[in-house]
Each structure stands twice: as structure tokens, then as C-alpha cells.
Amino acid sequence: MPLSQVSDDLIHVPEPNPGWRESYYFDFYDPKLGLGMWHSAGKRPFKGHSGYALGAWGLHTLAGIGLDHFTEHTEECVVGGLRYECVEPLKRWRTTFDGELGIPTKLQPRLDIRCMLPEGQAEMQRVRVKFDLMVTSISPAYTYKDLPHWKPLFSGHLDQIGRTTGSMTIGDATYEIDAVGGRDRSWGTRDWTYPRMWRFVSLVREGFDLMLWYTEADPDLTMVDGYVKDGDAWMEVVGYKEAVRTEPAPGKPVPRSVTFEVATANGRTYRVEGEVMQIMPVLFDKKKDGVAVTCWNDRALVRYTLPNGDVAYGNIEFGERVASRS
């Protein structure tokens, strides 16, 4: 198994490409509170630009984005009011936030597509949010294999499950968080127009966790990497297939449920059913060969049913290219 090295979880030397970036991602869902959150930040050293996206769902549904600048590519990751601190590589990360998030009005099944765009943010009512959360690993980190077909998306990528603890205040309400969730870290270029579709799957439950990235790219390339940890068994993912139930909607059908099978390197197969609880759409626009290409990522909170009937929670990115225009 390609377990992560300490150096994987520290700052990386940028490659000579303006699109090179260092990015971070964290999520959790606390079923006792019915409250979850995901957030990510990215830094582009050659441009000195950084940005974040943050969403809460369940008991509170909130959405926010932010942009910032930096001058030195260091271990410090501060983007607006969001801050990440590596307390101990591969072991503990501290995440803090102090700022305002938007309150979307359309909540089910998919938020308004503008909720993560500046124009949508400007129209929403705002609420003050603060959190101070420690993410402590409960599984070893897994670094993806260094293969050329991943290069348009990253030079390196790691996944890990951890326990998130601490306090979060939303408006006048304060919550004590104690929940499991996933995190990842990527470095390299990121061309979202490279895949025609992708799934990033995180499923977290103490004693069983699964994280993977599945991608289809032109003309007929399929890629998958990730892991399953089932008790003491730790297995690489080598295959993924799915059936997604959708409902018609403008722009892109809405995913409502998914059944997928994951094959591991030691011959095991895991079949998991998932019910989509809520969706936050994130859209990417980019010019490629003179054509404007739109990629639509439905980031979904999912309630999973495991093969033994146990329930788990996590996230799925239902991403794909949806439109091209001159």
C-alpha cells in the first residue's frame, strides 16, 4: 500500500507552471447534531492568488467563498477568515474560521447554482460563523500512485480519515462537534476540463472507511485510485462502477441516489447504496482551445448503507462537463 510520507503533508516545491497549486480539503458530518461541513482552500504561488469555498449542511445550510493574496509559498495557509495549521503532519490539523457565510433560500434537493458564485453570494442574507476545530487522524494517510494519466489533475494527492472535535458558532448558537470526516491534499496543476466526468467519494465510519477518485477522460480513458479500510484490512481500490438515479433539472440532472461497487486489489468487492441528502453545486468555467467549457460539480452529502446494513455518512462529487460554447 502506498502509505503517505511526512513530506507528502508538507509544502511542496512548485513546478514551473502558472496553474500549479497547493490545495486542502476537509469535511465532517455529525449525525447526533444533524450538522455537517466541508471546506477547501487553494494557493497558486506563481500568481500569489488564493481562494476558499465553504459549505454547511443539515441543521444549518450555509455557503461561502473567499479570495485572498499571498507573497510567500510557506506552510501557512490563511485565506480570508479561513486558516489551516498543520500541527503534526499526517496526524493533526487545526482549522479555524471567522467570517460571514450566505444563507441560501432554495435548499432541496439542490441549492441554487449561484450559491457558490459572487453574484449569488451578494444576494444572500449573511450570518456570522466561527469555528475552531482539530482534525486528528484515525487511519493512516494514503497517497495516490504516481501515474502520468493523473498529471492534468495533480502531481500528488493524499486521502485520510480523521476525527473532528471543537466548537462552532453560527449566529447565536454554539455547537460542540465530535464527528468523523475526510480530508485530502493535492499539489500540481488542476484542469477540471480534462475529465468528462469524475466522482470523488468519501465514506467515513469508525471501523470502515473508503475514499476514492474515479475519472473518465477523452477519448476512452478511465482512472481510479483510493482505498478501503475494513477493520484491520487495508486495501487499494482497483475498480469502480455505479448506477445513479437522477431527476430532470435545468443544466444538469439532479443525482438523488447511487449504488456503487468498489473492487480492491485483493479481490474483495464492496457494494454500497447511498441516498443524497443535500447538494451544493460548484461550477467551473475555463477557455480551452478557444472554447469556453463549463464543468458542473454537484457536491453532495450522502447517507450510505453498508453491506452489513450499518449506516455511514460522507460526500460524493458528481462532476462532469456539461456545456461548451464558442
Side-chain angles (χ1 to χ4, degrees):
M1 287 287 292
L3 297 182
S4 302
Q5 305 299 309
V6 168
S7 59
D8 294 335
D9 212 16
L10 297 173
I11 210 74
H12 298 86
V13 177
E15 298 165 6
N17 186 319
W20 192 97
R21 72 174 195 165
E22 192 107 26
S23 63
Y24 313 79
Y25 168 82
F26 297 85
D27 70 46
F28 71 85
Y29 183 74
D30 190 331
K32 301 183 297 300
L33 295 174
L35 179 62
M37 178 172 283
W38 65 270
H39 46 90
S40 64
K43 302 167 62 180
R44 296 184 184 272
F46 285 96
K47 296 182 178 181
H49 295 169
S50 57
Y52 75 78
L54 190 157
W57 37 27
L59 185 62
H60 294 271
T61 300
L62 306 170
I65 56 175
L67 298 174
D68 209 339
H69 297 83
F70 64 100
T71 56
E72 295 184 9
H73 186 49
T74 66
E75 292 293 342
E76 182 179 66
C77 183
V78 180
V79 187
L82 182 64
R83 183 174 189 269
Y84 297 154
E85 177 189 356
C86 180
V87 179
E88 184 180 359
L90 305 179
K91 299 293 184 182
R92 291 189 300 157
W93 278 80
R94 185 185 181 194
T95 67
T96 62
F97 180 77
D98 188 349
E100 290 189 342
L101 298 178
I103 305 173
T105 55
K106 181 190 175 186
L107 302 183
Q108 294 292 348
R110 179 166 67 197
L111 274 62
D112 189 296
I113 63 170
R114 300 183 306 156
C115 71
M116 286 294 180
L117 297 175
E119 57 267 32
Q121 286 282 309
E123 296 173 358
M124 285 189 277
Q125 291 185 339
R126 317 291 289 177
V127 63
R128 179 76 176 274
V129 175
K130 294 180 67 175
F131 62 74
D132 189 339
L133 301 171
M134 185 67 73
V135 181
T136 304
S137 65
I138 56 177
S139 290
Y142 173 90
T143 294
Y144 284 27
K145 293 179 284 295
D146 184 10
L147 297 175
H149 55 239
W150 286 115
K151 293 301 182 184
L153 291 172
F154 51 76
S155 297
H157 177 93
L158 69 81
D159 290 335
Q160 189 173 37
I161 298 297
R163 176 171 292 281
T164 299
T165 56
S167 63
M168 179 165 61
T169 299
I170 301 173
D172 296 329
T174 297
Y175 304 94
E176 294 302 316
I177 305 298
D178 185 356
V180 291
R183 79 171 183 101
D184 73 45
R185 180 169 187 161
S186 294
W187 55 97
T189 58
R190 176 64 54 84
D191 180 3
W192 285 116
T193 66
Y194 168 62
R196 62 175 176 266
M197 66 82 71
W198 74 90
R199 299 287 182 266
F200 182 74
V201 181
S202 69
L203 182 162
V204 294
R205 179 184 174 89
E206 289 194 72
F208 184 91
D209 51 85
L210 176 158
M211 296 186 75
L212 66 85
W213 199 334
Y214 172 80
T215 296
E216 296 178 3
D218 297 327
D220 55 4
L221 177 65
T222 61
M223 304 169 284
V224 66
D225 205 345
Y227 75 90
V228 176
K229 188 174 185 298
D230 185 0
D232 294 330
W234 178 271
M235 300 158 281
E236 292 182 54
V237 171
V238 296
Y240 175 86
K241 59 182 180 180
E242 67 175 21
V244 181
R245 181 177 68 85
T246 63
E247 292 180 353
K252 179 176 178 286
V254 178
R256 300 309 309 270
S257 65
V258 60
T259 300
F260 61 80
E261 289 187 358
V262 174
T264 65
N266 64 345
R268 292 191 188 182
T269 300
Y270 292 86
R271 185 177 187 274
V272 177
E273 297 180 355
E275 173 192 357
V276 174
M277 300 169 63
Q278 200 163 24
I279 297 170
M280 291 190 179
V282 182
L283 275 65
F284 309 93
D285 290 312
K286 181 180 179 179
K287 279 218 165 185
K288 189 171 186 178
D289 300 325
V291 176
V293 180
T294 300
C295 298
W296 186 318
N297 178 14
D298 276 331
R299 178 178 291 279
L301 173 65
V302 180
R303 181 183 186 272
Y304 297 106
T305 301
L306 303 184
N308 63 359
D310 287 348
V311 172
Y313 295 88
N315 294 295
I316 296 181
E317 293 185 7
F318 294 93
E320 61 185 77
R321 292 197 304 255
V322 296
S324 298
R325 55 191 184 276
S326 300

